[in-house]
Amino acid sequence: MRHIISVLVENNFGVLSRVAGLFSGRGYNIESLSVGVTDDPKFSVMTIVTHGDDRIIEQIIKQLRKLINTIRVRDVTQMDHIEREMVLVKVHASPKYRAEIFGIVNTFRGKIVDLTTESMVIEITGTKDKNKAFLDVLEVYGIIEVVRTGSVAIARGSKATTDFTKQDLKH
Amino acid sequence: MSRTGAEALVECLKKQNVDIVFGYPGGVLLGIYDTLFDADILHVLPRHEQGGVHAADGYARATGKVGVCFGTSGPGATNLVTGIANAYMDSVPLVAFTGQVPTALIGGDAFQEADIIGITRPIVKHSYLVQNVDDLPRVINEAFYIASTGRPGPVVIDLPKDVVAGKTKTKCSGKIDLPGYNPTYEGHPLQIKKLLKELSEAKKPVIYAGGGVIISGATEELVKLSERIGLPVVNSFLGLGGFPSAHENYVGWLGMHGNFASNMAMTETDFILAIGTRFSDRSTGRLDGFAPNAKIAHIDIDPASISKIVDIDIPVVGDCKKVLKQMEEYLDKFNWEKNAESRKGWLKKIRAWNSERPFSYKKSDKVIKPQFVVEEICRLTDGEAIIATEVGQNQMWAGQFYKFKHPRQFISSGGLGTMGFGFPAAIGAKLGRPDKHVFDIAGDGSFLMNMQEICTAVQYRVGVKVAILNNKFLGMIRQWQHLFYNKRYSYSCLECQPDFVKLADAYGCVGLIAEKPSEVADVIAESLKIEDKPVLMDFRVDREENVYPMVPAGAALNEMIYGE
């Protein structure tokens, strides 16, 4: 199953490689990993999207907690949460098709951030599924390049994602 | 007061009560070595960094203190890697200092540069690259704390040359501020009560005690619990010594070369109380045949060890000693009478297994049996010696035929299986426990891997005794080739080896040889008289003796095989 793990870490150099190394060294798969500093510059949050059965996910969480620079680890998929990923896509857009593509971008609430006579760069945010649907539609026009950030996720409600206790979780 | 990073380092080591370090100098370490020259700390110079780190490991296992070693940048640091991995696998508290090229040169492929933090990342509990001399005292403080608390392990501190040479006023004390590191020591009372409830209902319960019992010093509590309820105790390999082997509730040692009674007890039990063990694959055998009828409770300080290999029904995260003490408090709340008879019958059955099939071998008065050598060492040291081992058949025979009485008496590379570990580890153990006889029970192959440390032992007058069970083979490899590869002894025969007696002589220590069974006791007795230098004993043993019983790889614990 797909899981989104949110990891609050000390904002030291080397922490990212410890986390990434833990996954590679123990044979766990990373679908995406995104890192950014929090409102307190001493800490960063990593959002890791990974796959595995219950046993593997339990081990991933426990092994992450074992790292000295790790403050909190939460499986966000066990909470009501919001997930977003940003995608920048460059697509062929000759004048003939431009209007059509504008329409698609509007439908998906994307943003055109660059335009030439031959191409467009579109910014879109959303869940992985929504972004995939968008890219599928654009495919017919000829995609030149795609870059994506990987997912970030946050729990709904007034509590910080990393502050939820076991009892707060759905199951 | 302002002092150099090197001076601060030595001051911090003193604050940590470090009285012995194992290190090998090198270009970038010269500042530290200049300071160590006048320091009130015994510095032991091994002849290879690997010897140094294993010695620090052996010292830590024998004393319970943190082992400290030094290696210079590049090759010095990479030579420490095996020893760091070894300490990591067996949860040994170790602080390894490595030299690093000056910060301005890092990343430029400078002379003797290696990214040791990157290289050791998967095999350390934690590591530091110190970039500012003012951080050094805090880092050392944290490193010793991390290495020795929770589940112990190795910590690497990488020291660029300019950082060590810099000046700092920072003090060596200070509060530890590690928001992400909070080991759990007390077990959860609800879980403990749940455990005791299930235990009281079990008819064939077994305690499965590992190295965590020794690390946390829980032997006394373990014995008390076992006696009070009448629980048989099975040890993991690294748990040997954690429960007195002469105790009437002692079953033996579990796993690939463990005894019949232990493997059978684990197969038939209905409740396992696992304490401080990580369910190594060498212990469990084939997982779907492991304890098929048992509920399992697991006490461990490392939450990640719980349900990692085997599904656990009742997890208790905490320090083994503390949790056993907590269990004592609740003990009277449960009805132990109800199943007392079943437990008695169960113990009787286990004892019958043990007398029916103890560890044994075919005795001989013509050729020296390796098991006999170990038995004689045990007899002549009254079971009181510290026994380090190399890896292979020698290690298994040491575990089978030395009868351990105390914790920290058995020093062996369990997790990593490092050949060459035993001899330097024995040197470290003897330096930490000069009051004890210390033996390295060795194979000829393993001993040759770090025999350069004879020099170290001679120089520092370390009276370790090396008992080489010399079969001119990589014995365990030969055994597997015998059993599973149709006796095709591919590159396992050590046809060329030194004359160990002359070798000892060349190094300025004592070499003894035994070629007949009748000479074994005399050689051991002779070695016991020599305390100020190492003794090499060359026991020419039966070349094709196998270790039995054996659970073949991929078999279940009750599928042991025996010799002819």
Side-chain angles (χ1 to χ4, degrees), chain A residues 10 12-22 25-26 43 55 58-59 62-63 65-72, chain B residues 88 117 121-122 124-129 131 146 151 177-181 302-311:
Chain A
E10 286 184 81
N12 296 342
F13 74 93
V15 178
L16 175 61
S17 64
R18 280 181 213 278
V19 169
L22 188 155
R26 291 185 182 269
F43 303 109
R55 174 188 280 273
E58 189 184 334
Q59 263 301 306
K62 283 174 169 177
Q63 294 291 347
R65 285 190 177 138
K66 229 171 122 166
L67 297 176
I68 306 288
N69 297 126
T70 301
I71 318 278
R72 290 248 197 300
Chain B
Y88 181 71
I117 297 295
R121 193 186 308 114
V124 293
K125 188 169 172 188
H126 196 51
S127 53
Y128 295 92
L129 167 62
Q131 288 180 303
I146 291 169
R151 177 177 179 177
D177 180 24
L178 294 166
Y181 181 66
D302 176 13
S305 275
I306 293 173
S307 291
K308 182 172 67 179
I309 309 290
V310 171
D311 285 328

Side-chain angles (χ1 to χ4, degrees), chain B residues 6-7 9-11 13-14 18 20-25 29-44 70:
Chain B
E7 286 162 349
L9 184 149
V10 170
E11 189 187 316
L13 291 183
K14 298 289 293 176
V18 173
I20 182 166
V21 297
F22 301 86
Y24 206 101
L29 285 185
L30 286 175
I32 293 174
Y33 270 77
D34 194 54
T35 311
L36 279 173
F37 200 49
D38 305 315
D40 182 21
I41 292 176
L42 173 63
H43 177 280
V44 174
F70 285 82

